[in-house]
Amino acid sequence: MYYVIVALQVIVGLSLLNVWLVQYNKPTKYRGGDAQNILEEFKIYGLPEWSCYVVGTIKVMLALLLIAGIWFPALKQPAALGLAILLAGSILMHVKIKDPLIKSFPAALFLLMCLVIAFYG
């Protein structure tokens, strides 16, 4: 089970870093509404621009802590739970604007992975 948890930490951590640092200004089929980048997505959700920077900073920090949790296990559960809360918020935002369920799929999958990390890690 140890290696499964480590794999999940790497998958979630690197995926979130990719979304927030590499794919930030690129369209994907999972963006809310018809947004072409993360800032547009937050505007579609009715959130102020500053909230994108706050959420992004927190997600990047928690993703890094989740990866660091491989070597420092005390970081694993708080990082996974923090990400789970933010990912649940992502799902709620998709629901709020009545996006098709497929757009919530990545957030739901990573939420599930974070809960497995937090409770079985």
Side-chain angles (χ1 to χ4, degrees), residues 30-50:
Y30 301 109
R31 295 241 183 262
D34 59 355
Q36 298 299 302
N37 60 54
I38 289 181
L39 274 176
E40 285 181 21
E41 190 172 12
F42 271 65
K43 288 177 187 172
I44 288 169
Y45 294 147
L47 300 171
E49 185 175 322
W50 63 263

Side-chain angles (χ1 to χ4, degrees), residues 22-96:
V22 178
Q23 303 294 324
Y24 185 86
N25 282 316
K26 297 179 182 172
T28 75
K29 65 181 178 179
Y30 301 109
R31 295 241 183 262
D34 59 355
Q36 298 299 302
N37 60 54
I38 289 181
L39 274 176
E40 285 181 21
E41 190 172 12
F42 271 65
K43 288 177 187 172
I44 288 169
Y45 294 147
L47 300 171
E49 185 175 322
W50 63 263
S51 67
C52 181
Y53 298 109
V54 171
V55 169
T57 300
I58 294 170
K59 279 191 176 180
V60 167
M61 289 172 45
L62 290 173
L64 291 170
L65 288 173
L66 190 63
I67 293 168
I70 296 167
W71 298 279
F72 304 99
L75 299 174
K76 182 175 22 182
Q77 187 177 40
L81 291 174
L83 285 169
I85 291 166
L86 292 172
L87 290 162
S90 298
I91 295 166
L92 290 174
M93 289 295 108
H94 284 289
V95 170
K96 174 185 174 187

